[in-house]
Amino acid sequence: MKLKKLHIDNYKNLKNFDLDFENDNGLSIIVGNNGSGKSNILEAISGIFCEWYGKCKIDFPYEYRIEYVINGRNIVLIKKDDKYVNIIDGVSNSSKKINLDSSYLPLNLCSVYSGEDLRLWHSYFEPYNENYFRNTSIIKHKLEMIYVDRRLWEISFFMLLLYENNENYKSIKNFLNDEIHISTVEQITNVEIRFSFKTFERNTNNFIKGFINKINPSHQKEIPLPISKWREIICINSMGDEEAPRDIFSLLLQSFIPETFFIITEIEIQLEQGIKFKDLSEGEKKLIILKTCLEFISDENSLLLFDEPDANIHEARKFDLYKLLKKYNNRQTIITSHSPSLVKNAEQNELIYLETRNGKTEIIAEEKIELIRKLASDQWNIVEAGIFLNSNKYLVLFEGKSDVDFVKQAIKLLKIDNPTYNEIDVDFLNFNGTGNAESFLKNIRDCNPNKKVVIFFDRDDAGRTAMATISSQNKDSENVKNYNDFISDDGITKCAFYPLTSEVSDGEFLLEDYFKESLISDIISKLIVTKKHPVKNLPTLGKQVKSTLANQYLRYSKEDFEGFKVLLDKIYEMTKTQE
């Protein structure tokens, strides 16, 4: 299956919203701030197909158009003016009720969600499942809408272990070895399956009852066996042939998930040295569940929706996750994320950037993405920059990277004795020299006209020039000459020179002058004593001092940063929220 286009109107913040998947090569990564509409897109797609599968009375009461290719056929599904339209290879059919052969729909829609929010489950997957389990005329294993979350972690791992030595699934052995560090299945010492038969007789699904009778004919409460024995019991049918893995997963899922009919209550997997599956990291568990979905549940006619699968996992694991998704590019996968690490490794044609304006989700245009790249430079990647530029926090700008480093370290050290500094909740960025200040601010305004910005300048000629340019004043005006603050008429742009310390009353003043005087003197004495020609090197001494500070600032004590208090007080004053 290959998604081509989606149009949705008035679903939450998706208002007259269009999304193009044609160039994504089967993998789309939807990126944006929390609240930008990422999850709403997955919900809308789920709602559309839940309606067309027709297994439950779910009405998705929004107009939409979705285009895709499946089994070589071009399909368009439309809902407009309370009518359903399907177009198969250009041939249109319209009616008040859905009437479409299931072969034109995804073989299954699999959604993986790793968070605590069950909104997607409750809205579409739960009603579908409830109807499925009540239906006594179920076609064997035909479960089209599959919702996978942390409840199925153990089942997913169990599935991989069952087929670890299968010649048709060689990638599983490599996956377990490389990603989970299980080199041989003998490291799995025991798998105990626990059962409850309270609802067994009331269960109308004869396929499930037959499966349970096969693996637990005497209806024991618990059965501990090595994985090799479970493989013989579960994977081989009465004719001596192997069962299809998708069928096995479906049977395990249906024995475990429905709250009113569940029979399997727990699968406990014991590894060597007393380690259990629950002791694995969350990153390992998420990779396991994704591998199971990609390997067993889905195929080239499936649609997979992964909502922030990279959340709360180690940065290194995010690249492993991306590599895993890329191995299965013969199916349509859509994931949401706001992880800089994941996006950094993705190809540009796979990325879709979202933002919210006036309560409406919009796709960020290429031109704006390029602006964000320019602003981010090597300080942020595009995801971080997009998030910061669209947040409600103040953006505080300094001339150089080391300036930002010094201020962040000062806050870290001084907030221990000055609780007020804990309230400095801003983002920091540098604009790489006063000459870039005007163009840098313009780019910010092009990205977000309402972004609140504070800019700090050195008290020197270059700083006065930049201040005059930003504030549209004459460099020789009294305000600029006297190093006065500037606030724009709309209040969203503020400029200031570095405030002087109590030891300095006038003259030029750089950010580095906030460091303890004895620290600077010590640096200078060490720089000069190592030179054969100290006078000749005096013109570059300032640059050498700055370089030393930039390289060694993390070693300095709280006392060395005491002079920064006056600057932190200024930052707090200019960025505090007005009640």
Side-chain angles (χ1 to χ4, degrees):
M1 178 184 179
K2 176 71 181 74
L3 275 180
K4 297 172 69 177
K5 295 183 186 330
L6 170 69
H7 171 82
I8 185 79
D9 196 18
N10 286 324
Y11 181 70
K12 299 184 178 180
N13 56 0
L14 304 179
K15 303 179 189 301
N16 198 27
F17 179 77
D18 290 284
L19 197 53
D20 192 331
F21 297 97
E22 295 215 53
N23 297 318
D24 68 0
N25 297 323
L27 173 63
S28 286
I29 303 174
I30 302 176
V31 182
N33 249 341
N34 288 332
S36 62
K38 304 187 303 295
S39 297
N40 292 342
I41 293 171
L42 303 191
E43 288 179 22
I45 293 173
S46 300
I48 290 168
F49 283 112
C50 185
E51 192 171 41
W52 282 83
Y53 281 132
K55 296 294 193 300
C56 58
K57 295 179 180 179
I58 286 291
D59 175 37
F60 186 69
Y62 306 93
E63 295 190 347
Y64 56 79
R65 177 187 178 98
I66 189 166
E67 301 179 34
Y68 57 95
V69 177
I70 192 166
N71 290 321
R73 312 294 293 271
N74 288 286
I75 314 295
V76 182
L77 305 180
I78 302 170
K79 184 176 184 179
K80 189 173 179 62
D81 300 328
D82 294 325
K83 286 187 177 181
Y84 296 96
V85 180
N86 65 76
I87 305 173
I88 314 297
D89 290 333
V91 179
S92 178
N93 178 56
S94 175
S95 66
K96 285 283 186 180
K97 294 183 178 180
I98 288 175
N99 181 22
L100 184 66
D101 188 276
S102 62
S103 64
Y104 298 124
L105 296 170
L107 176 69
N108 51 40
L109 178 83
C110 177
S111 177
V112 176
Y113 187 69
S114 54
E116 301 294 337
D117 189 348
L118 294 176
R119 185 178 63 199
L120 182 59
W121 163 255
H122 290 314
S123 296
Y124 303 112
F125 287 83
E126 186 178 36
Y128 174 92
N129 276 261
E130 286 180 350
N131 182 75
Y132 180 91
F133 291 115
R134 285 197 303 265
N135 189 345
T136 57
S137 61
I138 297 172
I139 300 174
K140 184 179 180 181
H141 315 319
K142 185 64 173 176
L143 188 63
E144 294 132 327
M145 293 191 67
I146 302 173
Y147 186 89
V148 182
D149 59 11
R150 59 184 63 230
R151 295 174 295 177
L152 297 183
W153 275 351
E154 285 85 355
I155 285 181
S156 297
F157 191 34
F158 188 44
M159 282 294 303
L160 294 179
L161 297 175
L162 287 175
Y163 288 89
E164 178 264 351
N165 69 343
N166 191 301
E167 282 296 310
N168 295 320
Y169 298 93
K170 292 181 179 179
S171 68
I172 294 177
K173 184 184 287 290
N174 294 333
F175 171 82
L176 291 173
N177 181 48
D178 298 341
E179 307 298 345
I180 315 301
H181 310 298
I182 295 177
S183 57
T184 171
V185 78
E186 278 65 40
Q187 290 178 250
I188 309 300
T189 58
N190 187 63
V191 177
E192 182 171 298
I193 301 181
R194 297 176 186 134
F195 302 83
S196 171
F197 290 90
K198 293 178 181 178
T199 63
F200 186 79
E201 294 303 323
R202 291 191 291 110
N203 195 320
T204 58
N205 189 327
N206 290 324
F207 294 116
I208 299 303
K209 294 172 79 169
F211 173 68
I212 294 298
N213 284 331
K214 173 187 173 184
I215 67 174
N216 186 2
S218 56
H219 289 193
Q220 300 176 59
K221 290 185 176 181
E222 54 193 41
I223 303 178
L225 291 173
I227 191 66
S228 57
K229 187 64 178 177
W230 280 120
R231 188 180 292 132
E232 293 176 13
I233 295 171
I234 293 176
C235 299
I236 307 300
N237 62 27
S238 58
M239 304 296 292
D241 299 321
E242 274 199 351
E243 293 275 11
R246 183 181 295 149
D247 293 344
I248 296 296
F249 181 88
S250 180
L251 288 166
L252 286 169
L253 182 149
Q254 294 175 60
S255 303
F256 185 78
I257 282 296
E259 295 179 1
T260 52
F261 289 120
F262 72 87
I263 302 169
I264 294 176
T265 62
E266 188 177 0
I267 298 177
E268 184 175 275
I269 301 171
Q270 186 88 33
L271 285 71
E272 286 182 332
Q273 301 175 336
I275 299 174
K276 297 182 180 179
F277 172 78
K278 64 182 180 181
D279 299 319
L280 297 179
S281 71
E282 186 164 350
E284 289 172 323
K285 291 173 182 175
K286 286 184 176 180
L287 287 174
I288 285 169
I289 211 166
L290 292 180
K291 177 68 175 176
T292 301
C293 290
L294 293 163
E295 192 72 58
F296 298 132
I297 301 176
S298 64
D299 66 9
E300 62 274 12
N301 289 321
S302 300
L303 175 58
L304 297 108
L305 310 176
F306 298 157
D307 197 3
E308 297 192 1
D310 53 330
N312 302 318
I313 67 173
H314 191 274
E315 292 301 306
R317 285 287 180 196
K318 296 180 181 182
F319 182 56
D320 296 334
L321 184 151
Y322 177 72
K323 289 192 298 181
L324 180 61
L325 293 172
K326 290 291 285 184
K327 289 179 181 177
Y328 295 83
N329 58 4
N330 65 335
R331 59 208 66 188
Q332 182 69 56
T333 303
I334 304 173
I335 76 171
T336 65
S337 176
H338 50 69
S339 163
S341 300
L342 183 64
V343 173
K344 179 181 178 182
N345 292 294
E347 298 175 19
Q348 287 305 308
N349 64 308
E350 297 168 341
L351 298 169
I352 299 169
Y353 298 99
L354 301 182
E355 63 180 349
T356 304
R357 288 194 175 277
N358 301 318
K360 179 181 176 182
T361 295
E362 296 180 358
I363 297 173
I364 302 178
E366 282 294 324
E367 297 80 5
K368 186 170 180 179
I369 291 173
E370 286 305 312
L371 276 178
I372 293 175
R373 287 197 181 101
K374 288 179 183 178
L375 289 169
S377 184
D378 60 348
Q379 302 171 70
W380 301 327
N381 65 41
I382 189 168
V383 180
E384 293 170 317
I387 289 172
F388 292 155
L389 289 170
N390 287 292
S391 77
N392 292 322
K393 295 181 182 180
Y394 269 97
L395 181 60
V396 180
L397 304 179
F398 294 95
E399 295 183 28
K401 180 182 181 300
S402 60
D403 298 341
V404 173
D405 293 336
F406 297 156
V407 172
K408 286 183 176 180
Q409 184 68 0
I411 293 173
K412 180 181 177 181
L413 295 175
L414 299 176
K415 69 182 182 181
I416 299 170
D417 299 325
N418 299 270
T420 300
Y421 300 154
N422 282 306
E423 299 177 30
I424 298 177
D425 186 20
V426 302
D427 296 315
F428 294 106
L429 193 60
N430 82 80
F431 48 87
N432 197 26
T434 53
N436 297 318
E438 182 183 22
S439 61
F440 200 87
L441 181 61
K442 180 182 181 302
N443 286 341
I444 290 174
R445 291 286 166 252
D446 287 342
C447 288
N448 185 347
N450 300 311
K451 183 66 179 176
K452 296 177 291 187
V453 178
V454 176
I455 310 174
F456 281 98
F457 297 112
D458 289 333
R459 285 177 174 253
D460 60 7
D461 186 69
R464 290 193 300 272
T465 300
M467 171 66 90
T469 303
I470 295 292
S471 60
S472 300
Q473 300 179 78
N474 190 298
K475 181 182 174 182
D476 297 321
S477 67
E478 289 300 313
N479 278 332
V480 176
K481 284 170 63 176
N482 293 327
Y483 299 107
N484 292 334
D485 295 349
F486 166 78
I487 300 178
S488 63
D489 292 339
D490 55 14
I492 62 172
T493 301
K494 302 178 181 180
C495 301
F497 295 99
Y498 293 129
L500 298 174
T501 63
S502 58
E503 291 81 16
V504 181
S505 59
D506 58 14
E508 294 190 348
F509 190 90
L510 310 182
L511 183 135
E512 288 82 4
D513 292 323
Y514 287 123
F515 282 104
K516 193 174 181 181
E517 186 176 348
S518 60
L519 173 67
I520 302 297
S521 298
D522 184 56
I523 293 173
I524 292 173
S525 64
K526 288 179 180 178
L527 288 171
I528 291 179
V529 79
T530 59
K531 301 294 182 182
K532 294 182 179 179
H533 308 287
V535 176
K536 186 177 181 179
N537 284 281
L538 284 178
T540 63
L541 189 59
K543 289 183 179 179
Q544 295 176 66
V545 171
K546 287 186 176 185
S547 177
T548 302
L549 290 169
N551 291 329
Q552 299 184 6
Y553 75 98
L554 292 174
R555 306 176 190 176
Y556 301 152
S557 68
K558 181 176 63 174
E559 288 70 26
D560 293 325
F561 280 89
E562 284 289 326
F564 280 81
K565 285 183 178 179
V566 64
L567 175 59
L568 301 191
D569 291 339
K570 185 73 172 179
I571 295 172
Y572 173 76
E573 173 195 332
M574 299 188 77
T575 62
K576 65 182 177 181
T577 303
Q578 299 294 326
E579 299 296 337

